């Protein structure tokens, strides 16, 4: 799969940053909320980028798509977040073609997750895919790639035990709470924020702690009421946050604000309080640590915890990787078919021209020329020749790109046109990416 240029003069890239090199504070700067993601997609469309998806989660902000140069994609993130190009250079990555494909498979199957086997990311990729498709930003290759990754994720989940037990930050949070707080079933738990992570954490709290004293607060009360109705929990008004904080033994913050929603100024504590901040950017101010009653834990700390479940999951990595290789082979076969189809069509057209010219010559030369029979024979010969070439190009032991180049050279067919100059002036932005 050496050449993925289904878009003329453009390369397939995966660019972004993740928990591997960027801590929660830096990831927060590059985080894109729903509005910012849509803005970035529209900006991409206006700038001539034809196919891409954007994912932004608590652990990563990444773009997969076609561009003339990776900086076009980096610029989309920086223009729509609080991150800068200089910061991106320190913690970001740029993969292209096969490396970009490999990365997407590992991300989508939970092998690159902060907690091994966390499959929540595949749902986020699906959502990003649907939004890009609704804007006409998905070409044939990206459509096939994402659907293959989705199928691979399903296979790994069904055929291995890499997702056995807890496989998400939300469960790790609950696991930490249960290990840290005695008699958790009788403690007051306050969940502030009922977005995706908040919902998942809440469901795990109900399931594993058997606690009936869980209170939900969300800026939009109706959102919290939907979750509370499903789990039979109590909802309080956002205006009652200060009062509920004083009652809580455990506070889980999963809000999506750009600035801290909890700081020491609103905490008037008379007993210990465990705070888990599951937000990106961080939504709990570091100054809460000044209060002796407070223990503050962030999701990056949760991901560092290792237990028997995680160790067992690691044993299933080879099986998961084998499934990935199997599915990548299927993608490769499809891709090669897409790649050589235009060449075979052009070859057939060239042979038709040769036959037509020869028929014209023979028609003038022979008085008893059987035109119908000659056309039939010519057509059968053309089909046999093109079939031979197609079968050759399907052989996984040959280089498709080299064979296509040879066919186009011998038969004087081709589709290449001079490459356009890169429109991004790298010097202007003080950045150089190969």
């Amino acid at each position: 799969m050496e050449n993925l240029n289904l878009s003329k003069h453009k390369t397939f890239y995966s660019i972004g940053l993740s928990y591997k090199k960027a801590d929660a504070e830096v990831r927060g700067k590059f985080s894109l909320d729903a509005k910012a993601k849509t803005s970035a997609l529209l900006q991409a469309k206006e700038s001539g980028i034809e196919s891409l998806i954007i994912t932004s989660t608590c652990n990563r902000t990444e773009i997969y798509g076609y561009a003339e140069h990776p900086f076009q994609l980096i610029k989309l993130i920086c223009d729509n977040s609080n991150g800068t190009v200089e910061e991106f250079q320190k913690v970001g990555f740029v993969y292209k073609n096969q490396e970009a494909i490999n990365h997407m498979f590992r991300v989508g199957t939970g092998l690159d997750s902060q907690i091994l086997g966390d499959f929540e990311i595949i749902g986020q990729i699906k959502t990003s895919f649907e939004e890009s498709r609704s804007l006409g930003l998905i070409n044939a290759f990206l459509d096939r790639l994402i659907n293959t990754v989705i199928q691979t994720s399903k296979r790994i989940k069904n055929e291995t035990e890499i997702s056995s037990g807890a496989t998400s930050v939300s469960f790790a949070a609950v696991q930490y709470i249960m290990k840290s707080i005695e008699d958790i079933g009788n403690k007051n738990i306050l969940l502030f924020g009922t977005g995706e992570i908040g919902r998942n954490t809440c469901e795990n709290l109900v399931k594993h702690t058997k606690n009936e004293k869980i209170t939900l607060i969300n800026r939009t009360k109706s959102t919290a009421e939907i979750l509370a109705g499903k789990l039979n929990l109590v909802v309080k008004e956002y205006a009652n946050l200060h009062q509920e904080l004083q009652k809580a033994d455990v506070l889980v913050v999963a809000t999506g604000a750009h600035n801290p929603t909890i700081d020491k100024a609103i905490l008037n504590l008379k007993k210990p309080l465990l705070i888990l901040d599951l937000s990106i950017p961080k939504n709990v101010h570091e100054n809460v640590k000044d209060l002796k009653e407070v223990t503050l834990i962030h999701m990056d700390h949760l991901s560092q915890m290792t237990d028997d479940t995680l160790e067992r999951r690691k044993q299933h990595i080879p099986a998961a990787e084998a499934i990935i290789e199997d599915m990548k082979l299927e993608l490769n076969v499809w891709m090669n078919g897409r790649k050589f189809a235009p060449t075979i069509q052009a070859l057939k057209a060239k042979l038709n021209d040769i036959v037509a010219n020869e028929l014209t010559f023979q028609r003038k030369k022979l008085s008893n020329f059987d035109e119908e029979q000659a056309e039939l024979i010519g057509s059968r010969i053309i089909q046999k020749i093109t079939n031979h070439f197609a079968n050759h190009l399907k052989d996984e032991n040959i280089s498709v790109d080299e064979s296509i180049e040879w066919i186009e050279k011998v038969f004087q067919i081709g589709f290449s046109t001079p490459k356009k100059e890169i429109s991004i002036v790298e010097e202007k932005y003080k950045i150089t990416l190969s």
Side-chain angles (χ1 to χ4, degrees):
M1 213 180 300
E2 302 93 337
N3 183 354
L4 298 172
N5 295 338
L6 287 187
S7 293
K8 287 185 179 179
H9 319 309
K10 295 182 181 180
T11 302
F12 182 68
Y13 289 105
S14 169
I15 68 99
L17 57 117
S18 74
Y19 68 93
K20 289 186 174 180
K21 290 182 69 175
D23 62 22
E25 184 176 352
V26 174
R27 297 201 306 275
K29 290 182 180 180
F30 287 93
S31 178
L32 301 172
D33 59 19
K35 184 177 179 181
K37 273 181 62 179
T38 302
S39 175
L41 289 171
L42 293 174
Q43 181 179 331
K45 194 167 186 177
E46 290 172 2
S47 63
I49 296 174
E50 300 167 359
S51 184
L52 83 166
I53 70 166
I54 302 173
T55 61
S56 187
T57 73
C58 56
N59 292 328
R60 66 185 71 245
T61 296
E62 299 182 2
I63 296 181
Y64 303 89
Y66 279 91
E68 294 176 348
H69 194 276
F71 184 69
Q72 292 172 285
L73 305 179
I74 295 168
K75 189 172 183 293
L76 286 177
I77 292 179
C78 295
D79 284 355
N80 294 280
S81 72
N82 294 319
T84 67
V85 172
E86 290 74 22
E87 288 174 308
F88 184 93
Q89 283 185 282
K90 294 176 183 177
V91 300
F93 62 79
V94 174
Y95 302 128
K96 68 178 182 179
N97 290 341
Q98 190 59 57
E99 282 188 339
I101 290 171
N102 294 342
H103 179 67
M104 186 176 218
F105 270 95
R106 294 190 71 83
V107 170
T109 56
L111 295 187
D112 197 67
S113 294
Q114 197 170 22
I115 294 180
L116 178 65
D118 184 347
F119 279 92
E120 289 181 2
I121 183 64
I122 196 66
Q124 293 154 343
I125 288 175
K126 287 180 185 177
T127 300
S128 300
F129 172 60
E130 291 301 331
E131 181 172 12
S132 289
R133 187 161 63 177
S134 71
L135 294 172
L137 285 168
I138 298 293
N139 69 4
F141 170 72
L142 195 53
D143 184 285
R144 185 77 177 208
L145 172 60
I146 293 172
N147 278 294
T148 303
V149 170
I150 291 170
Q151 292 304 314
T152 306
S153 177
K154 287 180 181 177
R155 279 193 60 187
I156 289 175
K157 196 168 185 179
N158 293 332
E159 297 175 27
T160 77
E161 295 180 25
I162 203 166
S163 62
S164 61
T167 58
S168 67
V169 170
S170 58
F171 183 88
V174 174
Q175 193 175 40
Y176 183 86
I177 292 170
M178 293 173 68
K179 287 181 178 180
S180 304
I181 305 294
E182 291 185 9
D183 193 24
I184 187 61
N186 292 311
K187 300 296 183 180
N188 293 320
I189 301 175
L190 175 60
L191 177 68
F192 181 29
T194 54
E196 184 175 1
I197 289 181
R199 290 195 304 272
N200 292 339
T201 304
C202 189
E203 289 172 356
N204 278 312
L205 281 168
V206 171
K207 179 179 178 181
H208 297 286
T209 69
K210 310 301 181 186
N211 190 304
E212 297 180 358
K213 299 178 181 179
I214 300 174
T215 301
L216 308 183
I217 292 182
N218 196 62
R219 286 182 183 273
T220 305
K221 187 180 180 183
S222 58
T223 305
E225 287 175 333
I226 293 172
L227 180 61
K230 178 182 175 183
L231 300 174
N232 194 28
L233 301 176
V234 174
V235 176
K236 295 289 185 179
E237 298 281 353
Y238 175 65
N240 294 336
L241 176 62
H242 185 273
Q243 179 183 349
E244 293 302 319
L245 286 170
Q246 315 321 312
K247 300 177 185 177
D249 298 295
V250 178
L251 169 64
V252 178
V253 180
T255 48
H258 292 290
N259 298 302
T261 54
I262 300 291
D263 62 21
K264 73 175 185 179
I266 64 171
L267 297 178
N268 181 25
L269 304 177
K270 295 181 174 60
K271 60 179 179 178
L273 176 62
L274 172 62
I275 303 177
L276 284 82
D277 186 359
L278 308 185
S279 310
I280 290 292
K282 291 181 178 179
N283 277 192
V284 179
H285 200 289
E286 290 291 314
N287 65 17
V288 300
K289 292 181 180 178
D290 296 341
L291 302 174
K292 63 180 182 180
E293 298 91 350
V294 169
T295 300
L296 175 62
I297 300 297
H298 193 266
M299 65 164 59
D300 282 359
H301 176 79
L302 294 172
S303 68
Q304 293 165 7
M305 297 191 316
T306 57
D307 59 15
D308 294 339
T309 303
L310 282 171
E311 290 303 315
R312 284 197 301 273
R313 286 190 212 124
K314 290 179 182 178
Q315 299 172 13
H316 300 283
I317 291 176
E321 289 177 335
I323 291 172
I324 289 175
E325 289 305 312
D326 184 38
M327 297 299 285
K328 277 164 55 179
L329 180 60
E330 284 189 20
L331 180 67
N332 198 14
V333 170
W334 175 86
M335 187 63 202
N336 283 337
R338 291 277 306 187
K339 191 186 299 183
F340 67 67
T343 300
I344 293 298
Q345 290 170 4
L347 173 62
K348 194 169 186 177
K350 184 74 174 183
L351 293 174
N352 274 316
D353 287 343
I354 293 172
V355 168
N357 290 334
E358 184 61 25
L359 290 178
T360 299
F361 175 77
Q362 295 297 336
R363 191 181 298 113
K364 294 177 180 178
K365 186 177 178 180
L366 301 174
S367 58
N368 60 342
F369 179 64
D370 189 337
E371 186 166 342
E372 184 177 345
Q373 185 68 18
E375 287 182 353
L376 179 62
I377 293 171
S379 177
R380 287 178 61 83
I381 292 173
I382 289 171
Q383 190 62 48
K384 287 181 180 297
I385 292 173
T386 53
N387 283 346
H388 274 289
F389 278 109
N391 289 332
H392 169 75
L393 291 170
K394 289 177 182 177
D395 187 342
E396 62 183 40
N397 296 316
I398 61 100
S399 169
V400 175
D401 288 334
E402 289 179 6
S403 294
I404 287 175
E405 185 179 355
W406 180 83
I407 293 169
E408 291 179 353
K409 186 178 294 184
V410 169
F411 289 95
Q412 297 180 331
I413 56 178
F415 310 95
S416 58
T417 55
K419 283 192 174 184
K420 295 185 289 184
E421 292 295 320
I422 298 300
S423 60
I424 304 299
V425 183
E426 292 180 344
E427 180 60 27
K428 176 181 176 182
Y429 295 100
K430 304 289 190 296
I431 185 170
T432 303
L433 293 168
S434 60

